[in-house]
Amino acid sequence: MNLLNNRSLVNRLVFTCLLFCCALHHSVNAVAQDTLAIDFNAPVCGPDLRAHVQVFRGSPDIETPAGIPAEAFQYDTSVFHSRKKALTSVNDLWLRLNIRNTGDKTRTLYFFTGWHEQLTWFPPAPHQPVATGLMIDRRGVQRWDRSAFPVQLGPGQAGTFYLHIVNNFYRENNFMPVLFDEVGYAEFRQQQTDGYKREVLVIQVLIGMLLVLLSITIINYIQLPDRSSLYFAAYLLGLIVYFTLRLETKPYQLSFFHFCPMFKYYWDTPAMMFCFYLMYMLFGNVFLSLRERYPLMEKIYRYGAMATAALIVVSITLIALGNYQVPALIYTWMYYITLVPLGISFIAMARRSRHHPLIRFFLFGSICLYVLSIYAFITNTEPVSFTPLPELVAPYNILVLGVLLHVLFFAAGLSYRNKLVHQEKTKTQEMLIKQLNKNKDLQRKLNVQLEELVKEQTTEILRKKMELEEQRKLQLDIEYSKKLAEIELKAIRAQINPHFIFNCLNSIQLFVMQRDFEHAQKYLSDFSYLIRKTLDFSRRNFISLADEITYLNTYLGLEKMRFEHKMSYEITVDPVIATAELEVPAMLLQPYVENAVKHGMNNDDRACGLLTIIFRMTAPDMLECVIEDNGIGIERSKALRTLPSHHQSSGMEISLNRAELLNKMYNTDIQIEIIDKSGKQASDSGTIIKILIPQL
């Protein structure tokens, strides 16, 4: 009985102790989860704070912790993750940390949750909030140092700290709340930098190789312009930009695109669609000459490139509007949908590779990227589902290797294509040489045929020779006629000169009979000048317009002296005319001027006769001379004369004959028009003579 009682007592004591321990355990956890008690003096190197951080899923309307009810914060460790995580929507979270310094000194610790796009730290008063993040910080900021926030408390003090985190991208970096002291945080940064340097080195080597290939492609395009080289250069340039977006001096430092963080972190999906689909299909279409060889595949590639271009535009529009998850879904579904068609196209190309050697380069390069990308996505070490998005894939080096092999095979294919083009040119040149040799043989045969043809054509040549002889005789006859016309022209000049001299002598005789010796002497002097010029002009066919004007001016001056106050004249020359350069037929105008003086000054209705001579250019190569008088007119002059009505002044008739002969000799078109002014208006009288003289 005593033994049983003792056992019962022991059991009660054990049960009571267990209840006490359980109660003590729950009370300790409750205190730990409400307020984190930590000695700030002790080393702190990244303790896990997920059990001590309260979470509230926020909204864009809440900007400060004051707008959040205290009971809204809950403990939810599912929001935290130690690796990258795929996002299907914007992740907007508020974190609250209650912490108490159990040490005896004031010290600063650092609260770190990872690198996020937008971070706002709210420490207790009087400290001010701090805003930072990958999408906020710009140039001149050590971005990767600003994601750790200071927690400073005095001995025994407690405080509440809030952290607002917003991630818009389709992936979220590691999200784990931890605390560091200065030494622990420095060691953590060094570990991150060492691990990052290996990836940066791989990217730098890849970019260097891509730049070399781009330079070679541009040189080849300059030497041999080809659209496949142009598309491949655009493809390489897109890859260079894509990988340059990931090239940083430190993790998340954004050294190359500090002016636009959005471009670095949000525009990789359009870049991947541009490189791996749009340029890939355009390059393959031209490189393989699909239009001539495989029309069906050419249509598939062409329409696929057009659809990809449309999706790129849609993705860029969505990104500009702030939607970053849908472009990632577009690329993901594009990858999944094109897996089977690409595989089928690879099989079809492999069956035709024997007849088209360029297919091998295109096929091997495509398969390298195709297989290694699938292998990298399947063996992904990140805790995400099967995804084709490189941002969520590790190890990243497999994808880099696939891209490198991809472009190397394409570059080798372009070099081989250029070699084929060179061989084709060489073959064409050889064919041309053979054709030239054949042409020489053909030329020898043709020479023999030509000799026979020459013999056959000898009779025809003799006949042509006789025809040419007849033509030569005809040409001699024409030249003889021309010389005869020139002799007739000289005879006409001989008729003009005595007629003019007879009129001048009559005028001198009149002055002598009137005993006006002064005017007679002046008249004789001017008459001697006219005689000398007349003899000079009679030896020439053409004289300058300046000499003609001087000649007419001297002649009219003599006639005015003879008629005294019954005559006036005016010679007008257009200022644009170079009188020294233009030529007129010698002694062509003088008979008409003489006739105008003779008949134009005998108008009883007017006290003084007026003679006007005007020289002007009607065209760049046509000189017009207008001789106008206010005499009795042609018709009245004929009526007063006893001669037949068809009789014409000998001087004017001679001038008309000279004009016709000049037209015949020099192939000119001198035109003479005589107008009686009384025929146009009864109240007016006189004669207008228009002479058109072409300039040779």
Side-chain angles (χ1 to χ4, degrees):
M1 264 320 267
N2 292 333
L3 181 59
L4 291 175
N5 291 333
N6 291 335
R7 286 183 178 177
S8 176
L9 180 62
V10 171
N11 291 334
R12 290 177 182 177
L13 291 176
V14 171
F15 182 74
T16 303
C17 291
L18 290 174
L19 289 176
F20 177 78
C21 291
C22 291
L24 182 62
H25 174 72
H26 286 291
S27 64
V28 171
N29 286 342
V31 173
Q33 290 181 356
D34 183 42
T35 300
L36 175 62
I38 190 170
D39 185 1
F40 280 34
N41 297 333
V44 180
C45 188
D48 187 358
L49 302 182
R50 285 180 291 180
H52 306 281
V53 174
Q54 295 174 312
V55 180
F56 169 72
R57 296 188 180 275
S59 64
D61 300 332
I62 301 175
E63 298 181 356
T64 60
I68 307 174
E71 61 274 9
F73 284 94
Q74 301 293 331
Y75 291 100
D76 185 5
T77 58
S78 63
V79 301
F80 304 114
H81 47 87
S82 60
R83 308 293 291 271
K84 294 178 182 178
K85 178 182 178 181
L87 294 181
T88 57
S89 62
V90 177
N91 194 13
D92 189 340
L93 296 175
W94 285 83
L95 305 183
R96 184 173 69 178
L97 175 64
N98 297 320
I99 190 169
R100 181 167 56 87
N101 184 5
T102 60
D104 56 357
K105 293 182 180 179
T106 300
R107 193 179 177 190
T108 301
L109 300 181
Y110 294 93
F111 182 65
F112 178 76
T113 59
W115 290 277
H116 305 286
E117 298 182 30
Q118 299 177 25
L119 296 166
T120 306
W121 175 250
F122 296 91
H127 301 288
Q128 297 297 322
V130 177
T132 183
L134 300 180
M135 293 297 110
I136 296 178
D137 294 333
R138 289 295 191 272
R139 184 177 183 179
V141 176
Q142 292 293 333
R143 299 161 54 88
W144 74 308
D145 287 343
R146 292 171 60 85
S147 295
F149 302 100
V151 177
Q152 186 175 11
L153 293 172
Q157 286 185 344
T160 301
F161 298 85
Y162 295 90
L163 179 61
H164 186 202
I165 301 175
V166 179
N167 285 312
N168 297 293
F169 199 28
Y170 64 78
R171 66 102 177 94
E172 188 176 60
N173 291 323
N174 55 317
F175 188 8
M176 291 294 293
V178 292
L179 274 178
F180 291 104
D181 57 12
E182 293 182 358
V183 176
Y185 185 54
E187 293 177 354
F188 171 74
R189 288 189 303 173
Q190 186 63 40
Q191 292 174 359
Q192 293 290 317
T193 303
D194 293 340
Y196 187 78
K197 286 180 179 179
R198 293 189 294 270
E199 182 177 340
V200 170
L201 180 61
V202 172
I203 295 176
Q204 287 176 341
V205 172
L206 178 62
I207 292 176
M209 298 182 70
L210 292 177
L211 286 173
V212 172
L213 291 176
L214 178 62
S215 303
I216 295 173
T217 304
I218 293 175
I219 294 173
N220 290 336
Y221 178 77
I222 294 174
Q223 294 177 350
L224 184 63
D226 183 35
R227 278 196 303 163
S228 59
S229 298
L230 188 63
Y231 288 143
F232 186 62
Y235 177 48
L236 291 175
L237 186 61
L239 288 176
I240 290 171
V241 174
Y242 172 73
F243 284 105
T244 305
L245 293 176
R246 283 152 180 74
L247 190 61
E248 300 162 315
T249 56
K250 294 179 181 179
Y252 308 101
Q253 185 58 32
L254 196 65
S255 57
F256 289 97
F257 297 92
H258 54 268
F259 57 90
C260 185
M262 183 181 292
F263 181 74
K264 178 179 179 63
Y265 291 106
Y266 291 160
W267 295 80
D268 59 339
T269 50
M272 287 187 292
M273 286 189 283
F274 174 82
C275 295
F276 300 126
Y277 289 95
L278 179 60
M279 286 297 107
Y280 172 79
M281 287 184 283
L282 291 176
F283 170 76
N285 200 345
V286 178
F287 178 72
L288 300 177
S289 302
L290 296 181
R291 177 173 295 181
E292 294 80 11
R293 297 176 179 270
Y294 316 113
L296 178 60
M297 191 175 296
E298 186 273 335
K299 290 183 180 179
I300 295 174
Y301 272 53
R302 176 156 49 89
Y303 290 126
M306 295 170 60
T308 303
L311 291 176
I312 290 174
V313 174
V314 171
S315 299
I316 292 175
T317 304
L318 291 173
I319 291 173
L321 295 176
N323 191 330
Y324 309 109
Q325 286 77 30
V326 174
L329 291 176
I330 290 174
Y331 178 79
T332 301
W333 283 107
M334 178 186 293
Y335 182 86
Y336 291 151
I337 292 172
T338 56
L339 278 177
V340 175
L342 283 176
I344 295 174
S345 67
F346 294 160
I347 295 173
M349 289 180 186
R351 296 179 63 182
R352 294 171 174 83
S353 62
R354 182 179 304 175
H355 307 288
H356 193 355
L358 292 179
I359 289 181
R360 300 174 186 175
F361 294 96
F362 186 80
L363 187 62
F364 290 157
S366 301
I367 290 177
C368 285
L369 182 61
Y370 185 84
V371 173
L372 289 179
S373 63
I374 295 177
Y375 176 77
F377 302 147
I378 293 175
T379 60
N380 183 17
T381 59
E382 294 289 344
V384 294
S385 58
F386 179 78
T387 174
L389 298 171
E391 281 284 341
L392 300 174
V393 175
Y396 194 66
N397 295 342
I398 297 178
L399 288 176
V400 173
L401 178 61
V403 172
L404 182 59
L405 293 175
H406 184 64
V407 297
L408 286 177
F409 275 112
F410 282 6
L414 276 177
S415 300
Y416 187 73
R417 178 187 175 92
N418 294 336
K419 179 182 177 181
L420 292 179
V421 172
H422 180 71
Q423 290 178 352
E424 187 68 23
K425 286 184 176 181
T426 304
K427 187 182 297 184
T428 303
Q429 291 176 355
E430 293 176 354
M431 292 177 64
L432 287 175
I433 293 173
K434 292 180 180 178
Q435 188 64 37
L436 287 175
N437 294 330
K438 291 181 179 179
N439 291 340
K440 289 181 180 180
D441 296 336
L442 182 61
Q443 185 178 4
R444 285 193 294 268
K445 295 179 181 179
L446 289 176
N447 288 335
V448 175
Q449 295 178 0
L450 285 174
E451 289 177 359
E452 296 177 355
L453 184 62
V454 168
K455 293 178 181 179
E456 294 175 357
Q457 296 295 327
T458 302
T459 305
E460 183 69 19
I461 293 174
L462 293 175
R463 187 180 64 80
K464 293 291 184 181
K465 184 177 180 181
M466 294 176 64
E467 292 179 358
L468 290 175
E469 186 67 22
E470 293 177 358
Q471 292 179 1
R472 187 178 66 84
K473 291 180 180 180
L474 181 60
Q475 185 69 23
L476 290 176
D477 293 340
I478 294 174
E479 292 179 0
Y480 174 75
S481 300
K482 184 176 180 181
K483 290 181 180 180
L484 182 60
E486 187 175 355
I487 293 172
E488 292 175 356
L489 178 61
K490 291 181 179 179
I492 291 173
R493 287 191 190 129
Q495 294 177 8
I496 292 176
N497 295 338
H499 179 76
F500 174 70
I501 294 171
F502 177 76
N503 289 335
C504 289
L505 289 176
N506 285 339
S507 299
I508 296 172
Q509 184 182 6
L510 179 62
F511 280 118
V512 173
M513 289 175 64
Q514 293 177 353
R515 294 182 180 277
D516 190 351
F517 300 109
E518 182 179 355
H519 284 85
Q521 184 178 2
K522 174 84 167 56
Y523 201 98
L524 281 172
S525 176
D526 291 342
F527 177 71
S528 64
Y529 170 78
L530 286 178
I531 293 297
R532 185 172 65 252
K533 287 298 181 182
T534 301
L535 293 175
D536 181 26
F537 294 164
S538 65
R539 292 192 297 268
R540 292 189 287 174
N541 292 332
F542 293 92
I543 61 174
S544 66
L545 180 59
D547 292 339
E548 182 70 19
I549 293 172
T550 304
Y551 183 83
L552 294 176
N553 202 10
T554 304
Y555 167 74
L556 290 174
L558 293 174
E559 292 287 10
K560 184 177 182 181
M561 291 174 62
R562 184 167 68 89
F563 283 98
E564 295 181 349
H565 299 293
K566 293 183 180 182
M567 172 189 170
S568 64
Y569 70 91
E570 181 180 357
I571 300 176
T572 305
V573 183
D574 192 346
V576 301
I577 297 177
T579 58
E581 298 178 1
L582 297 183
E583 291 187 342
V584 296
M587 302 299 292
L588 178 66
L589 305 180
Q590 191 273 340
Y592 294 101
V593 175
E594 178 183 351
N595 193 70
V597 172
K598 182 177 180 181
H599 300 289
M601 303 301 113
N602 295 328
N603 192 351
D604 297 334
D605 297 335
R606 290 182 175 83
C608 179
L610 176 62
L611 176 63
T612 304
I613 303 174
I614 301 174
F615 293 95
R616 57 172 171 253
M617 299 296 294
T618 60
D621 58 349
M622 183 65 70
L623 174 66
E624 182 185 41
C625 175
V626 180
I627 303 171
E628 182 179 358
D629 65 74
N630 60 352
I632 60 176
I634 296 175
E635 299 299 329
R636 188 177 175 187
S637 176
K638 290 180 179 180
L640 293 175
R641 287 184 297 179
T642 59
L643 296 173
S645 59
H646 63 274
H647 176 76
Q648 190 176 14
S649 170
S650 61
M652 294 176 61
E653 183 178 3
I654 291 171
S655 294
L656 287 173
N657 292 335
R658 289 186 67 238
E660 293 177 358
L661 289 175
L662 288 171
N663 290 337
K664 182 178 179 182
M665 290 176 60
Y666 298 101
N667 195 23
T668 60
D669 188 18
I670 299 174
Q671 301 177 17
I672 301 174
E673 182 182 4
I674 302 175
I675 304 171
D676 192 342
K677 293 195 291 184
S678 61
K680 295 185 177 181
Q681 189 174 358
S683 60
D684 196 5
S685 63
T687 305
I688 299 175
I689 300 174
K690 293 184 178 180
I691 304 174
L692 295 176
I693 306 173
Q695 297 298 306
L696 300 178

